[in-house]
PDB file of all heavy atoms in Angstrom:
ATOM      1  N   SER A   8      30.468  37.333 -53.083  1.00  0.00           N
ATOM      2  CA  SER A   8      30.798  36.541 -54.255  1.00  0.00           C
ATOM      3  C   SER A   8      29.549  35.747 -54.697  1.00  0.00           C
ATOM      4  O   SER A   8      29.243  35.663 -55.849  1.00  0.00           O
ATOM      5  CB  SER A   8      31.961  35.568 -53.965  1.00  0.00           C
ATOM      6  OG  SER A   8      32.185  34.752 -55.045  1.00  0.00           O
ATOM      7  N   LEU A  19      22.525  36.650 -67.239  1.00  0.00           N
ATOM      8  CA  LEU A  19      22.492  35.598 -68.286  1.00  0.00           C
ATOM      9  C   LEU A  19      21.039  35.346 -68.778  1.00  0.00           C
ATOM     10  O   LEU A  19      20.825  35.134 -69.956  1.00  0.00           O
ATOM     11  CB  LEU A  19      23.176  34.321 -67.818  1.00  0.00           C
ATOM     12  CG  LEU A  19      24.667  34.309 -67.696  1.00  0.00           C
ATOM     13  CD1 LEU A  19      25.190  33.094 -66.954  1.00  0.00           C
ATOM     14  CD2 LEU A  19      25.306  34.377 -69.108  1.00  0.00           C
ATOM     15  N   GLY A  20      20.124  35.267 -67.818  1.00  0.00           N
ATOM     16  CA  GLY A  20      18.757  35.076 -68.141  1.00  0.00           C
ATOM     17  C   GLY A  20      18.185  36.168 -68.973  1.00  0.00           C
ATOM     18  O   GLY A  20      17.463  36.006 -69.957  1.00  0.00           O
ATOM     19  N   SER A  25      16.566  38.274 -74.312  1.00  0.00           N
ATOM     20  CA  SER A  25      16.911  39.141 -75.471  1.00  0.00           C
ATOM     21  C   SER A  25      17.150  38.399 -76.730  1.00  0.00           C
ATOM     22  O   SER A  25      16.641  38.700 -77.836  1.00  0.00           O
ATOM     23  CB  SER A  25      18.061  40.066 -75.143  1.00  0.00           C
ATOM     24  OG  SER A  25      18.436  40.905 -76.229  1.00  0.00           O
ATOM     25  N   LYS A  87      20.049  36.183 -45.256  1.00  0.00           N
ATOM     26  CA  LYS A  87      19.433  35.678 -43.987  1.00  0.00           C
ATOM     27  C   LYS A  87      20.302  34.715 -43.294  1.00  0.00           C
ATOM     28  O   LYS A  87      20.587  34.802 -42.059  1.00  0.00           O
ATOM     29  CB  LYS A  87      18.101  35.059 -44.319  1.00  0.00           C
ATOM     30  CG  LYS A  87      17.310  34.532 -43.149  1.00  0.00           C
ATOM     31  CD  LYS A  87      15.987  33.877 -43.622  1.00  0.00           C
ATOM     32  CE  LYS A  87      15.348  33.095 -42.572  1.00  0.00           C
ATOM     33  NZ  LYS A  87      14.231  32.330 -43.073  1.00  0.00           N
ATOM     34  N   THR A  93      26.196  35.270 -38.216  1.00  0.00           N
ATOM     35  CA  THR A  93      27.091  36.320 -37.696  1.00  0.00           C
ATOM     36  C   THR A  93      26.413  37.216 -36.676  1.00  0.00           C
ATOM     37  O   THR A  93      26.871  38.238 -36.308  1.00  0.00           O
ATOM     38  CB  THR A  93      27.686  37.209 -38.802  1.00  0.00           C
ATOM     39  OG1 THR A  93      26.590  37.747 -39.525  1.00  0.00           O
ATOM     40  CG2 THR A  93      28.556  36.364 -39.800  1.00  0.00           C
ATOM     41  N   ASN A  94      25.269  36.742 -36.172  1.00  0.00           N
ATOM     42  CA  ASN A  94      24.517  37.497 -35.206  1.00  0.00           C
ATOM     43  C   ASN A  94      24.171  38.938 -35.633  1.00  0.00           C
ATOM     44  O   ASN A  94      24.290  39.859 -34.849  1.00  0.00           O
ATOM     45  CB  ASN A  94      25.208  37.466 -33.848  1.00  0.00           C
ATOM     46  CG  ASN A  94      25.348  36.084 -33.292  1.00  0.00           C
ATOM     47  OD1 ASN A  94      24.373  35.300 -33.254  1.00  0.00           O
ATOM     48  ND2 ASN A  94      26.494  35.783 -32.794  1.00  0.00           N
ATOM     49  N   ARG A  98      20.110  43.776 -37.663  1.00  0.00           N
ATOM     50  CA  ARG A  98      20.469  44.753 -38.714  1.00  0.00           C
ATOM     51  C   ARG A  98      19.648  44.451 -39.988  1.00  0.00           C
ATOM     52  O   ARG A  98      19.177  45.342 -40.637  1.00  0.00           O
ATOM     53  CB  ARG A  98      21.961  44.665 -39.105  1.00  0.00           C
ATOM     54  CG  ARG A  98      22.880  45.305 -38.116  1.00  0.00           C
ATOM     55  CD  ARG A  98      24.304  45.331 -38.590  1.00  0.00           C
ATOM     56  NE  ARG A  98      25.156  45.836 -37.577  1.00  0.00           N
ATOM     57  CZ  ARG A  98      26.464  45.886 -37.706  1.00  0.00           C
ATOM     58  NH1 ARG A  98      27.096  45.414 -38.766  1.00  0.00           N
ATOM     59  NH2 ARG A  98      27.192  46.384 -36.710  1.00  0.00           N
ATOM     60  N   ASN A 113       8.464  35.298 -49.936  1.00  0.00           N
ATOM     61  CA  ASN A 113       7.509  34.266 -49.633  1.00  0.00           C
ATOM     62  C   ASN A 113       6.534  34.036 -50.795  1.00  0.00           C
ATOM     63  O   ASN A 113       6.228  32.902 -51.195  1.00  0.00           O
ATOM     64  CB  ASN A 113       6.719  34.613 -48.386  1.00  0.00           C
ATOM     65  CG  ASN A 113       7.507  34.535 -47.124  1.00  0.00           C
ATOM     66  OD1 ASN A 113       8.604  33.966 -47.099  1.00  0.00           O
ATOM     67  ND2 ASN A 113       6.980  35.069 -46.034  1.00  0.00           N
ATOM     68  N   PHE A 123      -0.712  35.551 -46.973  1.00  0.00           N
ATOM     69  CA  PHE A 123      -0.312  36.223 -45.724  1.00  0.00           C
ATOM     70  C   PHE A 123      -0.621  35.362 -44.466  1.00  0.00           C
ATOM     71  O   PHE A 123      -1.716  34.807 -44.365  1.00  0.00           O
ATOM     72  CB  PHE A 123      -1.009  37.565 -45.560  1.00  0.00           C
ATOM     73  CG  PHE A 123      -0.717  38.523 -46.699  1.00  0.00           C
ATOM     74  CD1 PHE A 123      -1.738  39.212 -47.320  1.00  0.00           C
ATOM     75  CD2 PHE A 123       0.584  38.721 -47.161  1.00  0.00           C
ATOM     76  CE1 PHE A 123      -1.477  40.132 -48.302  1.00  0.00           C
ATOM     77  CE2 PHE A 123       0.854  39.607 -48.235  1.00  0.00           C
ATOM     78  CZ  PHE A 123      -0.207  40.328 -48.790  1.00  0.00           C
ATOM     79  N   THR A 129      -0.518  41.711 -39.597  1.00  0.00           N
ATOM     80  CA  THR A 129      -0.309  42.770 -38.609  1.00  0.00           C
ATOM     81  C   THR A 129       0.662  43.849 -39.058  1.00  0.00           C
ATOM     82  O   THR A 129       0.642  44.970 -38.534  1.00  0.00           O
ATOM     83  CB  THR A 129       0.250  42.211 -37.247  1.00  0.00           C
ATOM     84  OG1 THR A 129       1.599  41.730 -37.404  1.00  0.00           O
ATOM     85  CG2 THR A 129      -0.627  41.114 -36.666  1.00  0.00           C
ATOM     86  N   LYS A 136       9.709  51.821 -51.899  1.00  0.00           N
ATOM     87  CA  LYS A 136       9.646  52.720 -53.021  1.00  0.00           C
ATOM     88  C   LYS A 136       8.212  53.099 -53.312  1.00  0.00           C
ATOM     89  O   LYS A 136       7.482  53.501 -52.398  1.00  0.00           O
ATOM     90  CB  LYS A 136      10.387  52.186 -54.249  1.00  0.00           C
ATOM     91  CG  LYS A 136      11.814  51.934 -53.939  1.00  0.00           C
ATOM     92  CD  LYS A 136      12.607  51.717 -55.233  1.00  0.00           C
ATOM     93  CE  LYS A 136      14.022  51.615 -54.970  1.00  0.00           C
ATOM     94  NZ  LYS A 136      14.826  52.691 -55.510  1.00  0.00           N
ATOM     95  N   THR A 159      12.978  43.972 -59.518  1.00  0.00           N
ATOM     96  CA  THR A 159      13.927  42.892 -59.137  1.00  0.00           C
ATOM     97  C   THR A 159      15.351  43.414 -59.088  1.00  0.00           C
ATOM     98  O   THR A 159      16.059  43.173 -58.056  1.00  0.00           O
ATOM     99  CB  THR A 159      13.788  41.761 -60.212  1.00  0.00           C
ATOM    100  OG1 THR A 159      12.529  41.197 -60.143  1.00  0.00           O
ATOM    101  CG2 THR A 159      14.855  40.683 -59.876  1.00  0.00           C
ATOM    102  N   HIS A 167      22.472  44.076 -52.157  1.00  0.00           N
ATOM    103  CA  HIS A 167      23.941  44.146 -52.300  1.00  0.00           C
ATOM    104  C   HIS A 167      24.575  45.237 -51.538  1.00  0.00           C
ATOM    105  O   HIS A 167      25.591  45.145 -50.886  1.00  0.00           O
ATOM    106  CB  HIS A 167      24.255  44.209 -53.817  1.00  0.00           C
ATOM    107  CG  HIS A 167      25.643  43.787 -54.119  1.00  0.00           C
ATOM    108  ND1 HIS A 167      26.747  44.552 -53.934  1.00  0.00           N
ATOM    109  CD2 HIS A 167      26.156  42.568 -54.623  1.00  0.00           C
ATOM    110  CE1 HIS A 167      27.810  43.928 -54.348  1.00  0.00           C
ATOM    111  NE2 HIS A 167      27.522  42.678 -54.726  1.00  0.00           N
TER     112      HIS A 167
END
Side-chain angles (χ1 to χ4, degrees):
S8 177
L19 286 169
S25 178
K87 180 181 166 188
T93 60
N94 296 315
R98 285 186 185 176
N113 289 347
F123 301 133
T129 67
K136 297 196 175 245
T159 297
H167 201 281

